[in-house]
Amino acid sequence: MSALTCNMVGHSAFGDASVLSVMPLTLSAPAAGQIRMTVKAVSINPIDYKRREGKLKLIEGPQVMPLGICHDAAGVVESVGEGVTEFKVGDRVATRKRGVGTYAEATLTGADVSAKIPDSVSFAHAAALPLAGMTALQALRAADLKAGETVFISGGAGGVGHYAVQLAKHYFKAGKVVATCSGSKAALCKSLGADEVVDYTAVPHGTQYAGRGKFDVVMDTVGDSAAMCVLGKPHRNVVSVVNLDLPMAPNATFVVRAFLMAMGAPVHFAAWRAGTTYQFVRLTPNAADLAFLLGLLDNKTIVSTLDTTFHGLAACQDAFNKAEHGRPAGKVVIEI
Ligand SMILES: NC(=O)c1ccc[n+]([C@@H]2O[C@H](COP(=O)([O-])OP(=O)(O)OC[C@H]3O[C@@H](n4cnc5c(N)ncnc54)[C@H](OP(=O)(O)O)[C@@H]3O)[C@@H](O)[C@H]2O)c1
């Protein structure tokens, strides 16, 4: 197996979407446990533009430029490394790569964070799923949501939120799902499984949670956990995938850990006052959860909602501007 020369989207400086450009990429042969895949579709997640802006420098330390971008991809296995038995050349696969660089014509990724795409699922719909879908699944699991219970989800039309609403209703079989979103996305949220939708833009901040009763599970995808703790039943679970908190960087320096603990203090205090249990959930990418979710796409338990589909590497700036500033409903995907 030899090196592969192709093109990727990357950046040589931190900044807004204008720092992105198409640049050459040389990929080595896949190492043990890796696959090399031809990328057919990629999706954008907020971590991609936070990292491009340099917002993760404190947590991740100095970076070697140029950097690739994006973690999610769907495509076709082009070669496999030693020890990989679950995939063969030609398989359709989706992945949530650990490092950056899926927005490219080809990428290397771990077999342990990849799964086969069922025939009924398109590359675009599969590419939308890995990071956001696994985060939604793992957060609701961590919150111990049970059949018949009530759940309140903020940001129910976002990338993570739209999978969370569907999983809560159709997989965990929640009795009642209430979600926040801006008014124009209420119909989408309801079609995905929300029993009630709260337009957070129609009322002053904080009042969207008042008088709504108590929920078995509260899931925050927008960074509003301290205010949302009032919604939690005593001794039940509030989970956040957003708030700055220690589990974001468990191996960081003492100073960074102290900063994260200080940032997390208000929500821990709010949870204590409300008598709820609070935890920050950080995605753990893995093949089993990804395969499970692709199965739910296959049997139509959930759908990937695609707001906009762009085409090609050259669309990188437009695609990122849409994802960051275009208030998409669901996901922004690029077909390569
Ligand atoms: N912990 C982890 O491992 C993990 C994993 C994945 C994502 N995340 C984080 O989770 C967050 C959400 O990710 P995402 O992919 O879902 O982002 P996204 O696709 O941009 O969705 C965010 C949603 O939040 C809504 N929103 C914004 N402000 C709101 C508010 N005050 N109240 C209610 N809804 C509000 C937006 O709706 P409108 O456009 O209608 O306002 C949008 O639909 C990001 O910060 C991301 O970095 C963390």
Side-chain angles (χ1 to χ4, degrees), residues 44-47 49-50 96 131-132 135 154-162 180-185 198 200-201 205 208-209 220-224 240-242 248 280-284 323 326-331:
I44 296 174
N45 292 282
I47 187 126
Y49 45 85
K50 289 178 191 175
R96 191 291 192 180
L131 197 156
T135 302
S154 63
V160 176
H162 94 285
T180 58
C181 65
S182 50
S184 63
K185 296 171 185 163
V198 179
Y200 77 93
T201 61
H205 176 251
Q208 70 267 44
Y209 310 127
D220 178 21
T221 80
V222 306
D224 209 14
S240 171
V241 299
V242 188
M248 289 185 96
F280 172 84
V281 176
R282 185 179 185 205
L283 168 66
T284 306
R327 306 191 69 180
K331 300 282 301 178

Side-chain angles (χ1 to χ4, degrees), residues 21-44:
S21 65
V22 181
M23 48 183 75
L25 168 70
T26 302
L27 292 172
S28 62
Q34 281 190 326
I35 57 175
R36 195 166 66 188
M37 59 191 276
T38 307
V39 177
K40 299 289 188 185
V42 51
S43 79
I44 296 174

Side-chain angles (χ1 to χ4, degrees), residues 2 8 40 50 55 74 91 112 160 173 176 216 225 250-251 285 288:
S2 53
M8 70 167 190
K40 299 289 188 185
K50 289 178 191 175
K55 287 184 175 162
D91 282 346
D112 63 336
V160 176
K173 307 282 185 200
K176 181 171 154 187
D216 294 296
S225 305
N251 303 318

